[in-house]
């Protein structure tokens, strides 16, 4: 059985982390499969959005500690891992995570890298790296503070203690909390709703949202306007507005 | 010493608080044994109802004060530690256990013993029983969920009176005030509570677990949030084996055989 299961429903691709013996620990091989799958989905016009999930008890409980332990300083310096994360981050289509159970360390970082997090009521988000004498190494100190703010981010990173799904919702890390048995289903429904929209508009909107953490407000507004202008040149924009005025569903072509 | 007697039969786990010479008051060891039994109740799907009662003439007299000798010259004790390590996990686990928890209150329930009983899902008390929120008489605060459960089950005015005065409350009065499910004659307590437990052990446990969870969530939710939660839980319940069985049995006019899943 593959460690990354892949399933299609209409325009939604679901990728399931499947290393139950290692609580879905994200080793390099699994990250690479994830990056490969997302790159394949990027060039597949029939895929509108992707959902990443784990099992009902565990999303991903961290990186692979055995793998990490075997890497000394020079090996860590040239670890391909940052490139793998960068490939995952470059995925331009809407990326959702359906998180049940533990999303710890790299698992939490993967969830935070995604665009929308749906959390099961049994979900736990945490960055326990500090308890191992290390620290988050794939965005944990950066994306967490940007979504939940200083107080909670410092607390989580310096204590290593996890937060519950409800706390994650309140803090702005998760978009929604649902019963664990329904998390994936609801994430897929949400992804299906998103995937109906014009692909270029989704891509442009995602790019603009990403810039919010990279640029100043003035630069961000300028880039937003450029992307907005870009969409004016698409036929899907004509179709979208025409369909709205004619009170019919839009038929987007991705151009 | 066995401070918790555990007996599992026909889907019912009966836990008997067993320090009768100390009115079943809690010490650390008794807490540990109770926690161990609860782990079994949580893990074993064959257990579909939990029944808690006391050995001897008391249900539970709360914390054993013999363990709490305060040395007038020593440092102040940290009562928060036992609340954090023992009482709070106990209340949380009973509230979250996805199966009905019955308290058969056979005798006096005082302090944490009284508030523990109120935290159970169904409370049946023997007629001669008194509930005593005795904390205030020692200068303490009701723990074991007391300050949360009491205003909810008794109303604010009664919760205030009960906790500030710390006086006895008869089972009859507790029942009249809607704080407990049922009062029965002393000699009928065992049979009545066992019959209720046996009933629950044959019921659609998965659905009952969701009912408990929904009621607990309602304490924090707005109506809107709770309506969404009802939609979600009904969706899950509708996919259970027991729901299919319930409908099939109804349509076939036969008694349902629920598996609890």
């Amino acid at each position: 059985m593959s460690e990354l299961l892949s399933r299609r429903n209409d325009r939604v691709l679901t990728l399931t982390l499947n290393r139950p013996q290692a609580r879905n620990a994200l080793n390099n091989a699994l990250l690479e499969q994830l990056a490969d799958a997302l790159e394949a989905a990027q060039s597949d016009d029939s895929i509108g959005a992707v959902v990443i999930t784990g099992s009902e008890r565990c999303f991903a409980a961290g990186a692979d500690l055995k793998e990490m332990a075997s890497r000394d300083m020079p090996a860590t310096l040239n670890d391909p891992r940052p490139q793998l994360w960068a490939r995952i981050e470059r995925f331009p289509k809407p990326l959702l995570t359906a998180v049940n159970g533990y999303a710890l360390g790299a698992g939490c970082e993967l969830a935070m890298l995604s665009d929308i997090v749906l959390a099961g009521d049994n979900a736990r988000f945490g960055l326990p790296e500090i308890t191992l004498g290390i620290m988050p190494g794939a965005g944990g100190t950066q994306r967490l503070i940007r979504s939940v703010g200083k107080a909670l981010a410092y607390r989580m990173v310096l204590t290593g203690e996890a937060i519950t799904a409800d706390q994650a919702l309140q803090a702005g890390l998760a978009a929604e909390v649902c019963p664990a048995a329904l998390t994936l289903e609801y994430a897929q429904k949400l992804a299906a709703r998103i995937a109906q929209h014009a692909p270029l508009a989704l891509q442009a909107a995602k790019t603009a949202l990403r810039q919010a953490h990279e640029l100043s407000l003035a630069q961000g507004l300028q880039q937003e306007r450029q992307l907005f202008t870009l969409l004016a040149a698409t036929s899907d924009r004509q179709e979208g507005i025409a369909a709205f005025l004619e009170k019919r569903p839009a038929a987007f072509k991705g151009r | 010493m066995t401070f918790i007697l555990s007996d599992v039969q026909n889907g019912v786990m009966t836990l008997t608080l067993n320090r009768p010479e100390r009115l079943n008051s809690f010490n650390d060891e008794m807490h540990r044994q109770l926690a161990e039994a609860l782990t079994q109740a949580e893990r074993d799907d064959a257990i579909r109802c939990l029944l808690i009662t006391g050995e001897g003439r008391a249900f539970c007299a709360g914390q054993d004060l013999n363990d709490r000798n305060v040395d007038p010259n020593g440092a102040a004790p940290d009562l928060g530690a036992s609340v954090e390590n023992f009482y709070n996990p106990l209340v949380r686990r009973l509230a979250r256990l996805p199966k009905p928890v019955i308290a058969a209150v056979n005798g006096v329930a005082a302090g944490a013993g009284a508030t523990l009983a109120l935290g159970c899902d169904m409370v049946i008390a023997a007629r001669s029983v008194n509930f005593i929120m005795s904390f205030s008489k020692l200068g303490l605060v009701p723990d074991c969920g007391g300050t949360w459960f009491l205003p909810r089950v008794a109303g604010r005015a009664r919760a205030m009176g009960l906790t500030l005065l710390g006086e006895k409350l008869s089972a009859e009065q507790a029942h009249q005030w809607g704080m407990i499910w049922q009062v029965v004659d002393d000699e009928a307590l065992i049979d009545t509570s066992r019959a209720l437990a046996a009933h629950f052990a044959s019921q659609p446990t998965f659905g009952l677990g969701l009912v408990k969870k929904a009621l607990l969530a309602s304490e924090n939710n707005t109506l809107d949030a709770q309506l969404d939660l009802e939609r979600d839980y009904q969706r899950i319940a509708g996919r259970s084996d027991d729901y299919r069985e319930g409908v099939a049995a109804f349509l076939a006019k036969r008694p349902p055989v629920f598996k609890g899943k």
Side-chain angles (χ1 to χ4, degrees), chain A residues 178-248:
Chain A
C178 15
L182 297 173
T183 316
L184 176 58
E185 188 176 325
Y186 284 8
Q188 287 169 328
K189 271 190 189 169
L190 182 61
R193 277 215 309 280
I194 291 170
Q196 288 170 14
H197 301 310
L200 290 173
L202 288 172
Q203 189 171 338
K206 176 166 170 168
T207 305
L209 287 164
R210 286 249 178 119
Q211 295 302 327
H213 284 153
E214 308 287 344
L215 303 175
S216 70
L217 178 60
Q219 290 169 311
L221 289 170
Q222 197 178 11
Q223 165 133 49
E224 181 190 75
R225 196 63 206 176
Q226 282 169 3
L227 289 161
F228 184 84
T229 309
L230 198 68
L231 292 177
T234 65
S235 56
D236 276 352
R237 173 184 180 254
Q238 291 175 312
E239 166 63 11
I241 295 175
F244 178 78
L245 295 175
E246 291 161 26
K247 297 180 178 157
R248 60 171 174 83

Side-chain angles (χ1 to χ4, degrees), chain A residues 121 176-179 181-182 185-186 189, chain B residues 96 213 228-229 231-233 235-236 239:
Chain A
D121 54 12
E176 194 178 326
V177 176
C178 15
L182 297 173
E185 188 176 325
Y186 284 8
K189 271 190 189 169
Chain B
R96 287 176 190 165
K213 219 173 151 184
D228 285 348
L229 181 138
R231 171 204 62 203
D232 289 343
Y233 285 12
R235 191 165 266 152
I236 298 170
R239 292 171 188 172

Side-chain angles (χ1 to χ4, degrees), chain B residues 151-200:
Chain B
R152 282 168 171 80
V153 298
R156 182 175 184 272
R158 287 164 181 159
M160 280 289 182
L162 285 169
T163 50
L164 293 177
L165 293 169
E167 287 171 359
K168 282 183 188 177
L169 178 76
S170 71
E172 298 270 11
Q173 187 71 72
H175 182 240
Q176 277 177 29
W177 284 357
M179 294 168 57
I180 62 173
W181 175 246
Q182 197 180 4
V183 180
V184 295
D185 291 332
D186 290 18
E187 55 278 14
L189 180 75
I190 291 176
D191 287 349
T192 310
S193 45
R194 281 193 184 148
L196 183 65
H199 165 77
F200 280 134

